[in-house]
Amino acid sequence: MNNLNISVFASGGGSNFKAILKAKRNGIIKSNIPLLITNNSHCGAVEIAKKNSVNVVHISRKVYPDLDEKEYSQVFLNVLEKFKIDLIVLAGYMKLLPEYVVERYENRIINIHPALLPSFCGKGMYGINVHRAVLEAGVKVTGITIHYVNKEYDKGKIIFQKCVEIKENDNEISLQKRVLKYEHKYYPLVIASLEKIISYEKSNN
Ligand code: GAR
């Protein structure tokens, strides 16, 4: 047990979110996970949150079309402050975070990307699109990257990478499945190491 709070941000099926919650149950992750923020109130991640008694907050430009960047950032920051969030974990979150959130949570936001950055990244490069691009490029190896988040897509400092084999007869679905297994294994482990560092820094401040 530590006194840190993690918020997961997700837009899709939520298999990484599920793996993170499992790691919490198994004691690998020690922090509380009280909050899911999503831009898509109908996504699988929301269902997973409900089943696991995690609070869900839906924030999207569709809900707040008239706010400027600062006001829109403040909507996120109010929720993050309410839940005393120390670490933001993006797990299939398909939106760029508002810039003041990135600024306020510098080195406290991480993302997982289903390829070896800096290849196969940027706008539109998410989920299955990444695996399609990897196969089209004909590379022999792919992987996962866990990195800090800054104001540009997929450009923050890399924390962890792991190679994943590409097989002769792979299609984008079989490749996605193999890569996801690595994501589910390593994302919780990286979160567990980061929470130790954040916890140490907090107690020495
Ligand atoms: C994961 O493969 C994650 O790496 C990817 O979206 C998928 C979400 O799956 N993220 C990106 O492509 C970010 N650029 P999930 O909803 O089942 O966790």
Side-chain angles (χ1 to χ4, degrees):
M1 207 30 191
N2 64 26
N3 58 352
L4 297 186
N5 294 310
I6 291 175
S7 175
V8 174
F9 282 44
S11 313
S15 69
N16 275 289
F17 179 38
K18 200 169 175 182
I20 291 165
L21 290 171
K22 184 173 175 200
K24 163 74 187 160
R25 278 198 306 278
N26 294 343
I28 294 165
I29 291 176
K30 311 278 187 232
S31 304
N32 305 308
I33 307 174
L35 178 64
L36 173 79
I37 292 187
T38 184
N39 61 306
N40 175 5
S41 55
H42 301 297
C43 70
V46 169
E47 291 311 310
I48 294 167
K50 285 182 183 158
K51 274 192 201 135
N52 288 276
S53 309
V54 175
N55 298 284
V56 177
V57 176
H58 175 218
I59 307 177
S60 101
R61 271 288 179 194
K62 284 188 189 136
V63 184
Y64 301 101
D66 300 325
L67 300 187
D68 66 24
E69 184 70 5
K70 198 161 194 173
E71 292 165 334
Y72 189 54
S73 297
Q74 201 53 53
V75 175
F76 284 84
L77 291 174
N78 289 345
V79 178
L80 293 168
E81 272 153 30
K82 178 176 164 202
F83 286 91
K84 299 187 172 16
I85 296 302
D86 300 288
L87 176 67
I88 296 174
V89 171
L90 307 188
Y93 184 67
M94 301 313 176
K95 294 283 174 193
L96 199 56
L97 281 180
E99 63 176 283
Y100 297 98
V101 176
V102 176
E103 216 168 87
R104 162 70 183 76
Y105 278 86
E106 197 187 359
N107 293 325
R108 294 283 184 272
I109 310 175
I110 59 171
N111 180 42
I112 188 159
H113 186 75
L116 294 172
L117 292 178
S119 296
F120 305 107
C121 69
K123 204 162 193 278
M125 274 293 187
Y126 54 82
I128 200 80
N129 297 348
V130 178
H131 304 297
R132 190 176 305 124
V134 162
L135 290 174
E136 275 170 14
V139 292
K140 297 293 179 204
V141 70
T142 185
I144 63 168
T145 303
I146 297 166
H147 62 96
Y148 287 109
V149 170
N150 62 17
K151 288 174 193 165
E152 283 177 276
Y153 273 107
D154 303 328
K155 289 279 165 61
K157 228 173 10 171
I158 292 173
I159 303 167
F160 177 88
Q161 288 188 305
K162 193 85 188 170
C163 290
V164 179
E165 179 192 10
I166 297 177
K167 295 188 177 165
E168 200 63 44
N169 56 354
D170 261 333
N171 57 38
E172 54 209 45
I173 303 292
S174 61
L175 187 57
Q176 180 182 47
K177 222 168 141 187
R178 189 172 319 115
V179 171
L180 273 172
K181 274 194 189 151
Y182 280 74
E183 295 187 40
H184 301 161
K185 178 172 176 192
Y186 288 104
Y187 209 11
L189 294 177
V190 169
I191 293 166
S193 353
L194 285 179
E195 66 180 2
K196 285 199 191 95
I197 296 169
I198 297 170
S199 211
Y200 174 82
E201 285 176 353
K202 272 186 88 172
S203 61
N204 282 281
N205 261 341

